[in-house]
Amino acid sequence: MNNRDVAVLGVGYTNFNSVTPEVNWKELMFEAAQKAYQDAGIDPRTDVDSFITCAEDFWEGFSIFDEFTPDQLGAALRPMHTVSGDGLQGLANAYMQIKTGLFDIVVVEAHSKISELLTYEDVVQLSFDPIYEAPLSKGVHPYYVGGLEMREYLEATGTTEEQCAAVVVQNKRNAFCNPLAEFEAQLEVDDVMNSRYAFDPLKALEIAPRADGAIVFVIAGGEIARSLTDRPVYVEGIGWCSESPWIGSRSSDAAYVKRAAQMAYRQAGIENPQLIDIVEVDDQFAFKALQHLEALGLARPGEAGYLMAEGAFGPQGQRAVNPSGGSLGCGHLMEASGLARALEGVLQLRGEAGPRQVEDALVGVAQSWRGLPHGTGAVAIFSRRE
Amino acid sequence: MTFSEKFQKTTDVKHWLGDMEVDHFLYTAGIAGEAFFVALRDKGVILGTRCELCGITYVPPRIYCEHCFAELNEYTDVGLRGRVRSFTIARLGKDGNELKKPEIFAVIDFGSGTTGLLHKLGEVTPETVKVGLDVEAVLKPKSQRGGHITDIEYFRPVG
C-alpha cells in the first residue's frame, strides 16, 4: 500500500431528534453538509473531487435513491456514488479513493429520516429470507432475532442480564453530556431489570430508539489536511466484513467485528488494542455493546459485562466507551450510526467534546453494525498523532 | 394549517402519504430449495447438504459451502429431532403492542456440525423452555403440506 495518509478535514452534523418535521430529508443533509464545508474551510463546488452517500432505498421510501443526492450536497455534475451500507463503509470508500491517489478531497454523507417511515417493522421484516425465515413470524415484531442472539451470547460467555442492563444505564447517562443526543435518562440497573421483556431476555429499554439526523465528513490526503487545518485527525485504518446472512449459521461472538478489527488494526499498526483511548461501539441492543467490545479485543470473552458493571468503561473508568451516549443515548440513526460513532471519535481527538472530553486522548476506534437481521460490521481507527 | 404555525403533531405540517408497492414478487426456491421442500412435503423429512471437507451439514440445504466454497450435492436426511441452541419469547407484535399470546422462536441444531434452523417452538411454556432442550418437529398432515417452511408447524419437547 502506498504511504499517503488520510485525514478528516472537517465534520458537520445536525442534532439527533426523534422527529424532524421542520425540514425534509434533503434539507437535513444540506444542514450537515454546509457545516462540514465550513468546518473544513472548503467550497464543495470547486474543492471536492468525489462524493459518497450511504443509504438504502427502503429506509428512504423511494427507489434508486442514489440519483437524488447531488444537489443538496453541492455535488451536481461531480463524481458521486451511493454505498448501500453503513456510514463507516462509505468512509472506507473515501479512504481508498484518497489512499490510491485518485482523489484529494472526498465527502462522505449518511443520514436518517426514519421518522417518516411509518411501517419500519414491515421493512425490517422484508429483509428476512422470504422463503425460510419470513413466513415463520408474520405479525411478530422482527426484533425477536435480537432476543435469540442475546440469549446465545449470554449462554456462550456467562454474561448476565444485569451486566447488559448496565450498558443502558451508562450510555443514557453519558448522553446528558452530549448536546446532540435525544434519549438521555437517569436510570439504575434495577430500572432496566424491572422494565418489560420485549423478546426475552431482551428488554424494551435495551433497544435503541430510532432518531433522525445527518452527518457529513470531509476526508483529504494528509498533506492537504495539514495545509488546511491545524487539527487533522487521521484515519489510520479501516476494515469491514460480512458474515453469513443465515440466522442459524451465525457466530455468537460477532465474528464480523473481529475480522473487520483485524483488518483495521493491521493497517493502523495496532498490536495491542488496549492502547486505544476512545471507544465507540455499536449498541443498537445493549448486549451488542458488550459483544462488540470483546470482538474488538478490548475485553476477553465474557469479561466486558463485568467490566461495564464495575464502571471500567465509564467516564471515570480505565477507558471511555461510548462517551457520546451511543445509539441508546443518541438514537439509532440507521446508516448514519457508524458515522455518529466516528464523529464522537473525531470531536474527542480534536479536544472539542465539551463536558464529556476525555483527557489526553490520542487514539480512537469507531465500530458499526448494520443491524438485524444481518451481520455486517465496520471498524475505523482514528488518531491525532501527537 | 400552514407551515409557519406552531404544530402539535408531525402530520400537522405539509406532507404527503405514499406507499412502496412491494407485495408482488416471485421468489424461486432454487435447486436446494426444491429438494428440501419436495422432501418435506412428500416424505415428511428434513434435508440438509453435507460438506465432507468442512464437516458441516447445512440445514436448510445449500448448493455451496460457505466455508470452503465447494459445490454441494450430497443430500442427507437429518431427522426430525434436534436440540435448542437459542430461543426467545417474542412478546411484541409488529405494531409494537403486546401479542395476545407470546410466540417462542428458536434456533435448532440437528446434531453437532449442523447449521441451525430457525423455527418456532410449541407445546412448551416460557417457564419450561431452555437452551439444550431436545425437540422434535411437528409436521402438518401430509394432505395439508404444500412445500413450505410452515409445513413444519413447530418443534415440541421430546417425550
Side-chain angles (χ1 to χ4, degrees), chain A residues 21 58 61 118 121-122 130-132 136-137 139-141 144 147-148 151-152 196-200 244 246 248-249, chain B residues 7 17 20 22 27-28 33 37 60 62 66 85-89 91-94 98 103 105 115-116 118-119:
Chain A
F58 274 100
L118 304 181
E121 292 77 10
D122 288 289
I131 298 171
Y132 297 98
L136 298 171
S137 54
V140 177
H141 196 295
Y144 79 86
L148 275 178
R151 174 144 357 240
E152 202 172 343
R196 68 172 180 168
Y197 279 111
F199 316 99
D200 315 24
S244 181
W246 293 82
S249 297
Chain B
F7 57 87
L17 274 175
M20 283 189 89
V22 291
Y27 300 105
T28 303
F37 288 115
R62 302 178 218 169
E66 72 173 43
R85 184 203 298 180
S86 185
F87 71 91
T88 187
I89 301 152
R91 297 178 186 274
L92 303 185
K94 247 183 350 191
E98 297 256 343
E103 292 195 34
F105 292 90
T115 63
L118 176 70
H119 219 286

Side-chain angles (χ1 to χ4, degrees), chain A residues 78-98:
Chain A
R78 311 300 288 278
M80 166 130 217
H81 74 279
T82 293
V83 172
S84 185
D86 176 82
L88 286 188
Q89 293 168 265
L91 186 64
N93 281 255
Y95 178 86
M96 290 186 281
Q97 289 186 344
I98 290 169

Side-chain angles (χ1 to χ4, degrees), chain A residues 6 16 28-29 91 111 133 169 192 202 229 243 246 260 326 359:
Chain A
V6 178
F16 308 142
L28 200 66
M29 282 171 69
L91 186 64
H111 64 274
E133 295 170 353
V169 173
V192 181
L202 186 64
T229 178
E243 72 170 302
W246 293 82
E359 295 299 319

